[in-house]
Structure formats: C-alpha cells, structure tokens
Amino acid sequence: MFNRRKFIKASALSAGLLALDKTSMADVLPTNPKTAKNFPIVISTWDFGIAANADAWKVLSKGGRALDAVEQGVWVPEADEKNQSVGYGGLPDRDGHVTLDACIMDEFGNCGAVLALEHIKHPISVARKVMEKTPHVMLAGDGALRFALEQGFKKENLLTPASEKAWKEWLKTAKYAPVMNVENKLYEKAAPQKLPGNQYNHDTIGMLAIDDKGNISGACTTSGMAYKLHGRIGDSPIIGAGLYIDNEIGGATSTGVGEEVVRNVGSFLVVELMRQGFTPEAACKEAVMRIIKKKPETAKNIQVGFLAINKNGEYGAYAIQQGFSYAVCNAEKQDLLIKGKSYY
Ligand code: SD4
C-alpha cells in the first residue's frame, strides 16, 4: 500500500540530492548507525595538532569533558614560542603588536570569544571566562585585556625576538600591505618576504572533541593573518565562522584567509550541511566550493580549509589549496596526521 510518510521523506531526500552540485551520492548518504560511537576523539588543524591532541587526550582518556580537553589541548601551540601563528610568539600586526583571536563553544551552545587581545598567553582561557563569567559572547581589545587581568591572567610580552626580527624584515619591503596567507608555493610567488625558517603566515589551531558521553566542544585560537592592519579581526574568534558546535549534529572549524570564511559563515554552514546528511568531508567541500564559486579569481591565490566532525565521531576536511593537514587522536591511534583533500 502507498505510504504517504515514506513518499514525503523519499521525495525530500531526492530533491535535496538533485540540488547538490558536484557532490556524489555517496557523499550525502546519511551516516551508518553501525559506525556510531567512534569517540572519545579529538581532531585539530595542521601538524602541530598532534601535540595539541595529545594533551586533549589526557583529559578525554580519563573520562573528562570535551570542553576541558579542547581548552587544554590548544594551550600547547598557544604556549609554543616556535609556533608563529598562535599565541605567544605569534607574528605581530603591521604595527608590531601581537593581537590574538580565540573562541570556544560547548555542548550546550554556550560560547565565548576574545578579539584582538594583547599580552595574554592563553586567549582561549580568557574566551572561556567570557563564556562562563559574563552575560556576553565577545570581548575585544582593551576591554578584553582589562577583563583578563581582573580574572587573574598575567600580562606578558608576547612578541618574541624571532617574531620581532621577522616583522622588521617584512617592514623593509612590505609597503605596509598585509600578506594574504596561501600555501607554500603560492606564498613564495606572491610574497618574497618569506617568514623565518619554514614558517608561513598562516596556521590557526581549530580543535574539535567528543568526550565519552558523546558531548562535543570546540576551540579555535590564532594570532591571525601576519602583519594585518591593527584591529583586524579574522574568522577565528567569530562563532559560526571560525568555529561552530551543535551537539545534536557535530562541529566544524576553519583555517586560512578569515575574510572569506566570515563572508560565507563557513563553520555554521558546514554543520548545517551535516544536518542535511552530508558527510563531514562533503560538507567541508561544499563550504569551500561556495568560496570558489563566488570569487574564483581570489580563490586561486588563497587558502581556506575546513575540518569537521559529526555526532558519530566521523571526521573529514577539505581545503582550496593542497597542503592542509589535520591531526586525529582516539583510543586506537594518538598521532595520526591526515592530508586533507583540496580543490586545486
Ligand atoms: C585569520 N584564519 O586570522 C586566520 C588565520 C589562519 O591559517 O587560519 N591562517 O584569518
């Protein structure tokens, strides 16, 4: 007998599938419940995510909360002076100020963020205090610093000699124009003012974790685009752009040229696509495709990458350019680094 409910469900699904562009059927099929419970798990952007995941895992493996795991995980690159794109030791803005952006979001939809915060080594923890101790979501600049000091954070100089030297080198040829971040080869072509060592002017850490209760949290922290205009804010501290968590569906985070992520509300988009049945990788790919479709010429020369996890602990990523990697840590493997797929 004709079943009307089944028919409505089936037609809604096929209408959704027809609307998808460049995405294969396999990409959008609902997740298999048999694969459920691939958690606890923590994933994070770039190769330095391995060390960050290891500290997050210390929390998760003891049955701790995903929120504590992501906060403590991202402390690692925030405190690492050799990492010139996150926290202490980050490359400064064009005026020589290290200004940090960070946000955090928990399983209840609570969130907190700090924007262009100076002098505090762990902006993620200030973001958590904004979430837990104030009625607000975001604090910026001087107000964020004042709040951090009131909360007992220590005022520190975050500009290391190496980053100051790099900035002074950059000033010689930069004509005061900030450099868009791109992957290595493109960067060399676009910006001869190479950063010291093998450092390039990108690499935010975005971290997503699911604890053993199945609750999801995320954190995102960065010193932002190197040599940016003073006061420039990227995607990383913007809930919905640099990070988004919905405990029913999953979470997403981003890295790369923040302006394009903000314009497309990238991480929220990825989570909403997963709600519609996209796998994490397909959702990340579709978010990247929006950027490419709107600005094909710009997209050729920039990097944006998304990383996502769904409620079952399935994960995936997609970037505009090659070279985006992400780290995965669960009970089976603690130091897995995966090369994300890319459009180019
Ligand atoms: C920003 N999204 O400030 C950050 C920078 C970054 O890889 O992730 N670079 O736009």
Side-chain angles (χ1 to χ4, degrees):
M1 207 179 86
F2 179 74
N3 179 326
R4 192 168 173 271
R5 270 178 75 191
K6 262 192 196 159
F7 171 74
I8 291 170
K9 246 173 119 181
S11 11
L13 185 63
S14 48
L17 292 180
L18 284 175
L20 298 171
D21 185 23
K22 280 194 165 190
T23 306
S24 75
M25 288 284 277
D27 281 343
V28 295
L29 288 175
T31 46
N32 179 355
K34 284 190 192 137
T35 62
K37 204 171 181 327
N38 175 27
F39 49 79
I41 185 169
V42 55
I43 60 175
S44 55
T45 52
W46 304 108
D47 51 358
F48 51 67
I50 293 177
N53 284 353
D55 272 23
W57 187 249
K58 287 179 194 158
V59 177
L60 293 174
S61 59
K62 288 191 201 105
R65 189 178 168 200
L67 183 71
D68 294 319
V70 295
E71 181 188 15
Q72 290 173 39
V74 303
W75 282 347
V76 176
E78 280 187 341
D80 180 0
E81 71 167 90
K82 291 203 195 81
N83 184 325
Q84 290 180 296
S85 52
V86 180
Y88 175 60
L91 290 166
D93 64 19
R94 71 174 194 176
D95 299 336
H97 301 274
V98 179
T99 66
L100 305 177
D101 292 342
C103 73
I104 194 160
M105 191 160 188
D106 74 8
E107 69 270 33
F108 303 110
N110 298 315
C111 47
V114 288
L115 291 68
L117 173 65
E118 293 185 53
H119 306 300
I120 304 291
K121 194 182 260 176
H122 290 300
I124 199 66
S125 297
V126 186
R128 182 166 177 176
K129 292 277 186 211
V130 173
M131 174 173 90
E132 291 178 341
K133 305 270 182 204
T134 80
H136 309 305
V137 168
M138 295 188 240
L139 289 179
D142 289 348
L145 176 59
R146 200 189 320 158
F147 170 74
L149 298 176
E150 281 164 15
Q151 292 295 318
F153 288 85
K154 200 169 97 200
K155 190 170 178 179
E156 293 176 67
N157 173 27
L158 303 181
L159 185 63
T160 54
S163 289
E164 187 172 12
K165 192 168 162 231
W167 167 62
K168 287 191 170 150
E169 270 306 302
W170 172 83
L171 278 178
K172 289 182 192 161
T173 52
K175 301 191 191 101
Y176 249 31
V179 181
M180 287 281 173
N181 65 329
V182 291
E183 288 308 327
N184 301 5
K185 274 193 191 138
L186 289 165
Y187 185 86
E188 275 157 22
K189 220 168 58 180
Q193 321 88 343
K194 206 166 160 189
L195 306 178
N198 283 323
Q199 295 282 330
Y200 294 85
N201 72 338
H202 67 77
D203 293 3
T204 292
I205 185 150
M207 178 178 276
L208 306 165
I210 309 182
D211 59 33
D212 67 355
K213 293 178 189 64
N215 287 324
I216 313 170
S217 290
C220 187
T221 174
T222 189
S223 52
M225 186 184 286
Y227 316 135
K228 59 197 172 186
L229 297 184
H230 185 62
R232 178 264 186 191
I233 309 293
D235 57 324
S236 307
I238 307 296
I239 296 294
L243 176 74
Y244 195 70
I245 303 294
D246 183 321
N247 206 42
E248 278 182 8
I249 304 299
T253 188
S254 63
T255 181
V257 176
E259 281 72 2
E260 296 311 323
V261 179
V262 170
R263 286 182 180 117
N264 291 278
V265 199
S267 291
F268 181 72
L269 174 61
V270 170
V271 171
E272 288 306 301
L273 289 166
M274 291 196 292
R275 190 190 304 279
Q276 291 170 29
F278 281 58
T279 64
E281 185 185 304
C284 292
K285 181 176 177 185
E286 177 59 19
V288 161
M289 292 312 297
R290 298 266 174 111
I291 295 172
I292 295 173
K293 275 182 213 157
K294 280 186 197 162
K295 293 192 178 182
E297 286 311 308
T298 307
K300 276 183 197 159
N301 295 313
I302 63 163
Q303 175 65 305
V304 170
F306 290 102
L307 176 65
I309 195 161
N310 68 17
K311 188 71 181 163
N312 294 337
E314 295 157 331
Y315 50 82
Y318 200 82
I320 300 178
Q321 311 289 342
Q322 287 172 24
F324 175 45
S325 58
Y326 62 98
V328 177
C329 176
N330 59 21
E332 278 151 32
K333 188 120 181 66
Q334 254 93 85
D335 56 358
L336 186 61
L337 186 68
I338 299 179
K339 214 173 145 204
K341 289 190 192 155
S342 63
Y343 183 76
Y344 288 108

